[in-house]
Amino acid sequence: MSPVRPAAVVVLAAGEGTRMKSATTPKVLHTLAGRSLVGHVVEAARRLDPEQLVVVVGHAREQVAAHLAEVDAEARTVVQEQQNGTGHAVRVALDALAAENREPSGTVVVVCGDTPLLTTETLALLIDTHQAEGNAVTVLSAHVPDPTGYGRIVREGEDVVAGIVEHKDASEAQRAIAEINSGVYAFDGKLLRAALSGLTTDNSQGEEYLTDTLTVLRGGGHRVGAVAAADHREILGINDRVQLAEARRLFNQRVLEGWMRAGVTVMDPASTWIDVDVVLEADALILPNTQLYGRTRIASGAEVGPNCTMRDTEVHEGAQVSNATTDGAVVGPEATVGPYTYLRPGTVLAAKAKAGGFVEMKNAQVGEGSKVPHLSYVGDATIGEGANIGAATIFVNYDGVAKHHTVVGDHVRVGSDSMLVAPVTIGDGAYTAAGSTITEDVPPGAMAVARGRQRNVEGWVARRRAGSPAAEAAEAALAARAGTAQQDAAGGVQETAGPTAGQVEASNKETDQ
């Protein structure tokens, strides 16, 4: 970090970004690793602890300003009514501060709102170099593999910058220079103000270029310097979706490397994506094809993946989550989730609880050691400790107008294929019979049976589906049973076989009518 706070950081975020080809989203609000492009820049700037942080907005100003109010409420937004160039944008920002008697007199840093890979450490290096060398302006530069299209830094000796020459205006010798301008600067505040007043629009774009201040300052006898970023990729600006995808990859690689060096195992970095606000503890294990978004937290000893998508989810020590989608959920210590499980907001699994295969939960609290192993929906429910919810159980929480709550007590056994129609309470230690539809409270220790009595109408297939494969199979089975019965009778064994097909048909004529 810089030993001296900058007087101000000015973030340029007024452009439309037409090459993004978006009808709804301004360029600087496109996202990367869970944060907008301008959000990344503002975060890096805020960590410098500037006296003032100003963001210049223009295109979609209401949308951008509203977003900035969410991500950094202390950031000051200034409107550039007409996008007349970078120099004009900085002048608009300083004019707004001057109108409030807040015009900066120390170091002023200017950054672009579309450079999400720029780090606080690099900005601090820029400020330190600027102050140590006593420059009027210091340019952040970078040495790139291919400088085509970029403005070249032309130096006079090792430390002094003679100027910035645009690619189209550069000589063959200058085009061979690999050091380029990043568009990020540190200025002496008072000198910057004077230099901006000397800018003109006498150029092909008819705009006030901030780069022209270097010529103005150097012409006034002031020193112009440059410092190169350690990693040239930090200065990459985003102008289209191809560049956005590349920046996402680079930023994700940076995030993953940071966590791996902190003791997290990422089995396959190429298929793992982690947002910038995710927190991982040492000895967490992240398996392939996993995406961790928002403010997800994975504790030490937890195993997540493969094939997990998690947002704003807490996974505690020793828990295992496999092939699952979670959003706003809490997975307790040593709990297990998956495979093919969906945990929606408000779901909390206590220690050693289980949400098994093809289970969906929403606003559900599952007690310690309780299990929902298979093919079930649990919505708006509280389940006590040590309970078991049988396969294909549905917590019927919605009556078409309102949601209702179900309470399942401790050590309850809910039979498979049960419907628990909320609001309903199943007392501690109670059971429900498989296939029951529970609409009334079940007392503790009771067995609830809510299903019709089974009745077998024999011979129905022979009568109603004659000639079908089912009828042929039934006839063969009945004939086999009759033959077995005759053999048993001949051997002195009491006949226990069922009736023959003919007997069935005769005995059921009344039923068929």
Side-chain angles (χ1 to χ4, degrees), residues 211-467:
T211 51
D212 289 346
T213 59
L214 277 67
T215 303
V216 173
L217 290 169
R218 183 170 170 79
H222 300 290
R223 194 174 190 276
V224 177
V227 60
D231 185 346
H232 69 87
R233 296 173 298 184
E234 280 193 37
I235 71 167
L236 292 177
I238 308 302
N239 293 303
D240 58 34
R241 308 221 188 199
V242 174
Q243 292 175 342
L244 178 60
E246 176 64 8
R248 282 196 178 113
R249 184 188 66 80
L250 292 170
F251 195 96
N252 190 62
Q253 179 181 332
R254 179 193 295 174
V255 170
L256 291 173
E257 288 179 357
W259 286 121
M260 288 188 284
R261 294 189 190 282
V264 175
T265 296
V266 179
M267 192 71 72
D268 181 22
S271 66
T272 303
W273 293 82
I274 300 180
D275 274 359
V276 68
D277 290 324
V278 170
V279 175
L280 309 177
E281 294 182 4
D283 292 320
L285 173 60
I286 311 300
L287 295 174
N289 196 31
T290 292
Q291 295 85 45
L292 305 179
Y293 299 131
R295 298 188 178 276
T296 294
R297 302 177 66 92
I298 311 296
S300 178
E303 180 179 311
V304 174
N307 308 315
C308 285
T309 300
M310 313 184 79
R311 184 179 298 279
D312 300 328
T313 296
E314 296 180 23
V315 181
H316 288 253
E317 297 83 356
Q320 294 183 315
V321 183
S322 170
N323 294 274
T325 298
T326 68
D327 183 1
V330 177
V331 181
E334 299 183 56
T336 58
V337 177
Y340 315 116
T341 307
Y342 184 18
L343 303 185
R344 293 164 57 191
T347 298
V348 178
L349 304 183
K352 299 182 180 180
K354 179 176 183 177
F358 299 97
V359 168
E360 180 178 350
M361 293 185 177
K362 187 269 294 184
N363 191 29
Q365 288 73 50
V366 182
E368 183 172 353
S370 290
K371 298 178 180 179
V372 186
H374 324 282
L375 302 161
S376 297
Y377 171 70
V378 181
D380 297 295
T382 300
I383 300 174
E385 297 180 0
N388 188 85
I389 310 301
T393 292
I394 304 299
F395 285 60
V396 185
N397 60 328
Y398 184 49
D399 64 6
V401 176
K403 302 291 181 68
H404 301 281
H405 202 78
T406 296
V407 176
V408 176
D410 296 341
H411 302 287
V412 166
R413 297 292 182 267
V414 175
S416 295
D417 198 27
S418 290
M419 300 288 159
L420 311 182
V421 183
V424 70
T425 297
I426 301 177
D428 293 348
Y431 279 60
T432 72
S436 292
T437 299
I438 306 299
T439 59
E440 299 179 1
D441 291 352
V442 180
M447 161 67 86
V449 182
R451 61 191 182 197
R453 182 179 296 277
Q454 178 175 323
R455 182 169 68 95
N456 297 332
V457 182
E458 298 201 41
W460 184 91
V461 172
R463 295 190 305 278
R464 295 299 183 88
R465 299 291 186 269

Side-chain angles (χ1 to χ4, degrees), residues 168-180:
K168 64 180 181 299
D169 300 322
S171 66
E172 287 301 319
Q174 290 170 334
R175 290 187 178 186
I177 297 172
E179 186 178 12
I180 66 168

Side-chain angles (χ1 to χ4, degrees), residues 3-26:
V4 179
R5 296 172 66 191
V9 176
V10 178
V11 181
L12 307 182
E16 182 176 357
T18 55
R19 281 184 281 173
M20 299 298 287
K21 299 190 183 304
S22 175
T24 59
T25 306

